[in-house]
Amino acid sequence: MSKIHNFSAGPCILPPEVLLEASEAVKSWGSNGLSLIEMSHRSKPFVAVMEETRALTKELLGLPDRFDILYLQGGASLAFLTAAYNLLPEGGSAAYSDTGTWANKSIKEAKHLGNIDVVASAKESGYTGIPATPKVNDTHSYFHYTSNNTIYGTQYKGVPTEAGVPLVADMSSDIMSKKFDASPFSLIYAGAQKNMGPAGTVMYAFDKDALGKTGRSIPSYLDLGVHLSKDSMFNTPPVFPIFTTLLTLRWLKNLGGVEAIESINDQKAALIYNEIDRNSLFTGHADIDSRSTMNATFKLLDERHKDAFNEAWASAGISGINGHRSIGGYRASMYNALPLESVKVLVDVMNELERTR
Amino acid sequence: MSKIHNFSAGPCILPPEVLLEASEAVKSWGSNGLSLIEMSHRSKPFVAVMEETRALTKELLGLPDRFDILYLQGGASLAFLTAAYNLLPEGGSAAYSDTGTWANKSIKEAKHLGNIDVVASAKESGYTGIPATPKVNDTHSYFHYTSNNTIYGTQYKGVPTEAGVPLVADMSSDIMSKKFDASPFSLIYAGAQKNMGPAGTVMYAFDKDALGKTGRSIPSYLDLGVHLSKDSMFNTPPVFPIFTTLLTLRWLKNLGGVEAIESINDQKAALIYNEIDRNSLFTGHADIDSRSTMNATFKLLDERHKDAFNEAWASAGISGINGHRSIGGYRASMYNALPLESVKVLVDVMNELERTR
């Protein structure tokens, strides 16, 4: 089988050595020959996996000491609700940024629990850019934003400290892709299935001191304090997703950590965006100053080249670059595990298409 | 490595052929050589996995047509809340049975949403038995019970239709182990990690017609109707746990389905309980008429034999039979994938201990 260049938007490419080690562990793991997935989550070896996963996450993200890490279930979709339950006081307000589909979902769920003000929005422009962050009234408990928007290919370039209140972010699609200062945050959450591992677990990184101030009676599964008091094992954790996340985090550490991958991610993004701008057949979707290093969205200027382009990238072993159904075109998702080489192959295909038309 | 007899209480033993096929899929799955866990959940092959998993669950459980199946995240611990959100009207009441730790948790979470009456309880006896089910006042929307109690080794022997209202059950630890008539139920839920697969997904089987009657505004992730409208893909599903659950369900179907495994489970239970009752060194924990076919709880009558017994079962390749920390002693968990042979080995060890003391 020829090499596959996997640009899937998520679940997405994982490092080959991670896949091999995860595969092996499903067959046999540890000293007694049992599979990883048929032993107690309270066995010493799995407790050690959970602890290393939490500690390595904190280390790789360079989080302040007061932060703690949980790996739970329910994805960002449940985190939208959990965030508000834990940080929005009864009768309180929070400020949200609307940068598209996922941001809208975070707003919808938070509205179950309080007054949500959308203080920044890219809706008018069709979500092609990242809106400026205003100074937020300090009656707002926090400012929530979606750091990277996979569908539109837009990304916050820095941490929006301009809001002037504690920050909360859904970083599902760019966590671990670049360095950032976490000190202004109360909470960061991210589904694992882009840069951290397979589908089935969501990471919460939060300032312990920010919890317990809402005056709410919080259902147990939605209470980060409950999960923290049980060291992320309030209930049976998703064993395989967490183990495979640990393997991916170890891979990242061996590579040199977030700083090292950021440099590679910047090279990949430069390569594809240079080609999109240079090539007369293509145009980018997102505003130039809001372009995502994770998801490059673009389209053909002339749909007559569509069949030729689709055939060319498929022949080159490229998969997963069709755009999201809501905006069409193409989307090259370049998560951490995607090699620079794969982007070069895509750029060559685009280049060749122009040369031969 | 000698054969392991894995009596773990959960996550627990899975069929060897399931482990091998799941392991292989993590390396490479499908026509293009990608791993199962690095492709989109919306790809045709994975959508087919989800649909087959849901259909096969319905088939194996012999559910009425009006029932539908979802595989979500959050375990039974989140299902405790989800059940009440979807079935308990604003200001309404529900009747619950208290058969131990997990039943208590279901009661605690439901109390966030309405008036919960504990109409049956085994608390006074230390949860060694299953309490009789009273006729429930029909102002109660449903009667909730925990069908099998892993810690104490107790199990409902039949479906408690005496309640006279729709039933809701947490069947996490005995789902797919024996036939039952699902027609009196509004909802059944079960974490996969005993008889259905690995940790990381929870099955909901419910009567579609019972939804949408609470008058509540339900957060999306807790709304079974939302998940149903998206065919169990409202958000990224836990790909590996669901795939491996499908493999386990196929294994069960090939074996002859629930009826066939029930017969084997009955043989396993008869074997261990006969030995517990026959052997002068041991005594059972649960009341005889409430004994679980899934988890046999027992202890040594004389703790002086403890070291010898522990050494003997460990030497025989037995693992996972220490009792839950809350009651001590021993617990032989005999989930679907545990071979009859493993129970025979345990019984031989018990027998030999008596013979040589």
Side-chain angles (χ1 to χ4, degrees), chain A residues 6 23 38 73-74 109 220, chain B residues 6 23 38 73-74 109 217 220:
Chain A
N6 182 2
S23 166
E38 57 173 357
Q73 294 183 60
E109 301 311 315
S220 301
Chain B
N6 182 2
S23 166
E38 58 173 356
Q73 294 183 61
E109 301 312 315
S217 167
S220 301

Side-chain angles (χ1 to χ4, degrees), chain A residues 81-90 113 210-227 234, chain B residues 81 85 108-109 111-112:
Chain A
L81 185 66
T82 301
Y85 251 121
N86 286 271
L87 298 171
L88 185 54
E90 198 90 58
L113 295 167
L211 299 185
K213 296 179 178 166
T214 64
R216 294 183 187 278
S217 167
I218 310 178
S220 301
Y221 201 91
L222 306 176
D223 188 338
L224 295 176
V226 165
H227 289 285
F234 164 64
Chain B
L81 186 67
Y85 251 120
K108 182 181 174 194
E109 301 312 315
K111 281 184 173 171
H112 283 280

Side-chain angles (χ1 to χ4, degrees), chain A residues 6 12-16 18-19 194-198 244 248 337, chain B residues 37-38:
Chain A
N6 182 2
C12 65
I13 188 168
L14 290 171
V18 166
L19 296 173
K194 316 282 189 184
N195 284 329
M196 290 199 297
T244 307
T248 311
Chain B
I37 63 173
E38 58 173 356

Side-chain angles (χ1 to χ4, degrees), chain B residues 148 155 157 177 265-266 269 273 291-295 334:
Chain B
N148 185 72
Q155 184 178 33
K157 290 294 136 190
S177 73
N265 287 333
D266 286 346
Y273 286 120
R291 281 172 165 177
S292 166
T293 55
M294 295 284 102
N295 316 93
M334 303 173 292

Side-chain angles (χ1 to χ4, degrees), chain A residues 299-312:
Chain A
K299 61 180 182 189
L300 282 162
L301 285 164
D302 187 336
E303 285 285 303
R304 283 178 304 174
H305 302 311
K306 191 174 158 183
D307 290 348
F309 182 52
N310 289 351
E311 196 183 303

